[in-house]
Amino acid sequence: MSAVGVFGGTFDPVHYGHLRSALEVSERFELEDFRLLPAGTPPHRPPTVADAGHRLAMLELGASAYPGFRVDEREIRREGYSYMVDTLAEIRREEGEIPLLLVIGQDAANALDGWHQWRRLFELAHLVVMRRPDSTVSYPATVLEAMKGRYAEQPLQLMETSAGLVHHLEITQLDISSTAIRQMLLAGRSPAFLMPKSVIDYIRRHGLYQG
């Protein structure tokens, strides 16, 4: 059965930490449709540094070299706050009852109870939680209760139903962050080997993150 992976974020800017994680999830689940979803106006984060148009352009450059990756613009195009539950509901209406995999990091999973209508996420998608070697697992009691009975040990289990399961996936530790890259650029240092050269060229061409 085909499936759709959904990996959201501000991507401010995109880097190899994002792209490597996406690739590992995509390969593990043999996904031919893996969507990188730049957030429009996220309600639980401060405003982005680069505007939506620049973040979208950088993400398209970063994703262009990877077959099966596509950039989904719907949250940027949507007015108002970007809620993942609304995005998944839209994708579900478009794609029918195929498996949807919402891919998030362990830190985001630890704070899942702060998401808008977070319990509905399990009705709309499976949850794939990416864990790095240094990840801290600290689910609140409400999230632990909601996840009870949903754990899937094998990726194949997520392919057998449309939504509702949780799978923890160990991924490669790459200590790269958008915040550190922005600070590096502000200080006049090069982010080479942390992100695609095409994205670095775009940043320099448009004078982004220069203060």
Side-chain angles (χ1 to χ4, degrees):
M1 181 184 293
S2 61
V4 174
V6 178
F7 180 23
T10 53
F11 302 110
D12 190 22
V14 63
H15 53 69
Y16 282 135
H18 298 130
L19 296 172
R20 179 66 205 179
S21 299
L23 181 62
E24 292 187 16
V25 175
S26 182
E27 288 184 338
R28 182 67 177 270
F29 289 94
E30 299 181 355
L31 300 177
E32 296 180 358
D33 185 352
F34 191 96
R35 305 186 189 185
L36 298 161
L37 190 87
T41 306
H44 57 288
R45 296 187 182 187
T48 59
V49 178
D51 67 27
H54 284 310
R55 291 186 293 111
L56 176 61
M58 289 186 287
L59 188 56
E60 288 176 336
L61 287 169
S64 63
Y66 299 90
F69 283 10
R70 57 180 284 198
V71 178
D72 190 318
E73 304 177 10
R74 75 184 67 225
E75 289 198 353
I76 281 179
R77 304 304 179 203
R78 183 188 301 147
E79 294 183 359
Y81 284 132
S82 302
Y83 294 118
M84 182 57 73
V85 68
D86 295 333
T87 297
L88 292 176
E90 283 184 6
I91 296 173
R92 173 62 68 201
R93 287 193 294 271
E94 294 165 2
E95 300 296 338
E97 292 306 308
I98 69 171
L100 294 185
L101 279 57
L102 174 59
V103 180
I104 64 175
Q106 184 64 62
D107 288 348
N110 291 340
L112 193 67
D113 59 344
W115 291 34
H116 180 64
Q117 295 183 10
W118 65 274
R119 295 178 190 275
R120 283 191 61 211
L121 297 174
F122 299 108
E123 301 171 13
L124 296 165
H126 299 303
L127 197 64
V128 177
V129 181
M130 300 180 293
R131 285 182 176 171
R132 296 177 172 84
D134 68 350
S135 292
T136 300
V137 182
S138 57
Y139 290 122
T142 51
V143 173
L144 282 174
E145 181 63 28
M147 289 183 173
K148 188 179 296 183
R150 297 185 183 275
Y151 292 106
E153 292 295 328
Q154 301 300 324
L156 183 61
Q157 293 173 257
L158 277 65
M159 300 295 103
E160 296 171 348
T161 182
S162 61
L165 299 179
V166 178
H167 179 75
H168 293 102
L169 180 63
E170 299 291 333
I171 61 169
T172 302
Q173 178 76 41
L174 290 179
D175 191 13
I176 307 172
S177 75
S178 295
T179 300
I181 287 173
R182 292 196 302 268
Q183 292 171 345
M184 192 177 297
L185 289 162
L186 187 60
R189 291 156 48 213
S190 172
F193 309 112
L194 300 177
M195 60 200 310
K197 183 179 183 299
S198 59
V199 178
I200 296 174
D201 291 344
Y202 183 95
I203 288 170
R204 288 176 174 161
R205 188 162 62 249
H206 292 276
L208 302 179
Y209 311 117
Q210 305 299 303

